[in-house]
Amino acid sequence: MKSSLTYLLTACYAAAVASQPTGSSDKLGHERSLIQVGESHIPIWMMEQEVLGLIRSKKTFMDITGNNLLPAMVYPTEPRQKAVVQEIHQLLSPDSMRIFLTTFSSFPNRYCRSHYGVKSSDWLYNTVAELIKNNRGTLNRRVPHRRISQQSIVVRIEGQGNLASEVVVVGAHQDSINQANPYMGRSPGADDDGSGSTTIFETLSALLRAQYQPARSLEFHWYAGEEIGLVGSQDIAQDYANRNVNVRAMLQLDMTGFTDHSGNMGIVTDFVHPELTQFTRQLVHTYSNLTALDFQCGYACSDHASWSKYGFPSAMPFESNEMELNPYIHSDKDTVETVDFDHMLQFAKIATGFAVELTHTSE
Ligand code: BES
Ligand code: ZN
């Protein structure tokens, strides 16, 4: 007997996969169906011939195409706050990002179960506290997790007016890993995910310096324990689901600093919300100099998947549309010298657009 939790998780992941914008038809336009052959199996997109093959070999299965448990959401059809966003863009600084990331990646590691994972988290918390200290209406808190010593960090800019209970989240993961030796090996984690942590810090910093006042509440999350299975983000998404928090959108930035200078970047299309992803493509087009190309990141590749799992809409832009572009991640070679701050700046511009466009208006 499968537990009801297994059923729930499978259904949620199935929903996330089912909601992929791509994959439902091939290049010739032949329809594909999302097929699941068992509760613990990941659903697979299949052509009709493949489905007939299952029938002939007497395998049982369900066609779950369109079983979408993610909420229907309406996002703006195009960016509408260009003047406000572009004003705030002036405050983003690659030099500030370099200074932040140089310190953040100088801890021997940020492994979520190690002494240094706690030290780096303390430094991040204190740096965030310093940034927000003169801003009334902006609060920070630490979120402890049962199985790891590192804590997640949450900053909230309280919304104004009748939309204040709705939340827009911008996230990154603070932990790093040396996969050969997590406790003793060095893992500067400059790109993975010092880059996303830096990008969202700089975005928050610019919004605060611009004295931006959102209508919806705006949160910045630095998750603990992503590298060992999305531990921090799952705890937080589950807590928000239990408390019925109305999360309208979540943007995950995991790796924003490594580039081959092709001018391309990636937009993750699996385990994300299709409409929010479409809106994010428009943000890339409007607010950055990069070309967004679709790519699949795989099951639970980063913290956006935790939000999909608990039924919240998420999207994930990525530094490249090639999965293996950065050969240094999870090793001692993922250093600040390998990171491009002009590339990272593009992601800070996208994140600023996301934050303002989705919290500014009464829609
Ligand atoms: N930043 C990576 C995910 C990643 C790496 C995305 C390369 C695209 C290209 C992330 O921190 C990671 O390592 N994720 C793991 C899964 C995690 C749950 C252990 C992965 O994708 O293998
Ligand atoms: Zn990562």
Side-chain angles (χ1 to χ4, degrees), residues 55 71 111 179 181 192 196 224 240 245 261 327:
I55 297 169
Y111 186 54
Q179 64 191 22
N181 191 346
D192 187 8
Y240 282 33
V245 178
H261 304 284

Side-chain angles (χ1 to χ4, degrees), residues 13 17 36 66 79 116 124 158 163 185 207 223 236 238 261 273 287 304 339 359:
Y13 278 114
V17 176
Q36 192 170 21
Y116 293 115
L124 178 59
E158 193 63 30
L163 290 178
L207 289 165
Y223 301 115
I236 293 176
Q238 183 179 37
H261 304 284
H273 193 276
Y287 293 125
H304 60 290
V339 164
T359 62

Side-chain angles (χ1 to χ4, degrees), residues 9 36 45 48 52 81 177 227 265-266 276 279 321 354:
L9 298 191
Q36 192 170 21
W45 287 100
E48 190 178 8
L52 289 172
Q81 307 299 337
I177 192 168
E227 297 286 8
M265 58 167 284
L276 185 61
F279 181 63
N321 60 313
F354 187 94

